[in-house]
Structure formats: structure tokens, C-alpha cells
Amino acid sequence: MNKDQVEGRVEETKGKVKEATGKIIDDKGMQVEGNVQKNLGKAQKGYGDIKQDIKEGK
């Protein structure tokens, strides 16, 4: 597991929490911010997965 995979998963989780909190307190701005953060984390995780596959020769 590389740095991008770990950081991506962390950001994705933080985004999910922020999005859920926004839903609970009825804050649309926080929901959107959490959704964006979650998706950026997914993208970073995907990038890390690709780097790992290349490193392993897959």
C-alpha cells in the first residue's frame, strides 16, 4: 500500500463523515463539501491503486 492509497482512503472517510454531518444538521453546504472531499479521496485512492499495479507489473 502506498501513500496515495492511504491518504485517499482517509480523505474519502473524512468526506463521508462531513457529508453525513451535513445531512444531520441540514447544512447543504457541508453536504456538498463532504461529497467533493469524498470523491477527491476516491480519485486519489484510484491513482494510488494504479501506481501500485504499475510498480508490481500488473
Side-chain angles (χ1 to χ4, degrees), residues 25-46:
I25 64 173
D26 197 30
D27 183 341
K28 293 287 183 193
M30 185 180 276
Q31 280 181 271
V32 170
E33 192 177 314
N35 190 20
V36 168
Q37 187 175 12
K38 176 180 72 175
N39 289 323
L40 288 173
K42 282 183 182 181
Q44 185 175 10
K45 181 182 71 166

